[in-house]
């Protein structure tokens, strides 16, 4: 990726972090995650982890699309790796939602340290041919849900 693409990715990840901030402290035992979907340089959908922890940010962003075809080839910016195993109360794995929506690229701030995902979402995206990028604004994402990352041993 070029320096320009890195700057674009950071700007859109900041938007995803802003969306996640709206749910901070309202998601019970789940971290507040933000997801935005970008097509042709414009945000076409936004979602955050809902109060109580479900539905997840990716599911809310997909639901926010005016037309599911807008996701095709688009980039999803997510502040945490999409889940590979649904939480209780979640209908489906977020990684499958993104794959079925045919996004072309997923940019993640942090790999999920929880044993239920921990790299499996990343691998499933890559196996499905989705371009991935990890680590964009990682420190900011960790700071936003510090309690979650501390409880999973990612930080001390």
């Amino acid at each position: 990726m070029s320096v320009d693409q890195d700057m674009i990715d950071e700007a859109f990840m900041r938007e995803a972090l802003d969306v996640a901030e709206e749910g901070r402290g309202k998601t019970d035992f789940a971290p507040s995650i933000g997801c935005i979907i970008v097509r042709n340089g414009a945000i076409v959908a936004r979602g955050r982890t809902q109060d109580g922890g479900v539905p997840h940010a990716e599911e809310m962003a997909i639901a926010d699309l005016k037309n599911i075809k807008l996701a095709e080839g688009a980039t999803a910016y997510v502040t945490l790796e999409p889940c590979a195993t649904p939480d209780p109360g979640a209908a489906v794995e977020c990684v499958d939602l993104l794959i079925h929506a045919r996004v072309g690229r997923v940019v993640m701030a942090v790999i999920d340290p929880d044993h239920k995902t921990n790299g499996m979402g990343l691998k499933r995206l890559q196996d499905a041919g989705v371009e991935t990028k990890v680590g964009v604004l990682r420190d900011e994402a960790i700071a936003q849900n510090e309690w979650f990352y501390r409880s999973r041993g990612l930080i001390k």
Side-chain angles (χ1 to χ4, degrees), residues 70-97:
L70 289 172
E72 196 169 322
T75 299
Y77 291 85
V78 189
T79 60
L80 179 67
E81 174 187 15
C83 70
T85 304
D87 284 336
V92 66
E93 294 94 349
C94 293
V95 68
D96 287 340
L97 287 172

Side-chain angles (χ1 to χ4, degrees), residues 30-65:
S32 184
I33 304 306
C35 175
I36 63 169
I37 300 174
V38 175
R39 183 178 177 93
N40 298 326
I43 298 172
V44 295
R46 302 170 194 271
R48 71 162 176 89
T49 307
Q50 291 299 283
D51 297 358
V54 289
H56 289 175
E58 298 89 339
E59 184 174 352
M60 297 306 297
I62 296 288
D64 189 47
L65 288 166

Side-chain angles (χ1 to χ4, degrees), residues 80-85 108 110-124 148 152 154:
L80 179 67
E81 174 187 15
C83 70
T85 304
M108 297 161 256
V110 186
I111 292 294
D112 190 341
D114 191 279
H115 70 279
K116 293 183 290 184
T117 296
N118 201 353
M120 289 185 289
L122 174 65
K123 182 176 181 341
R124 282 171 54 188
F148 171 76
R152 300 308 189 275
L154 188 64

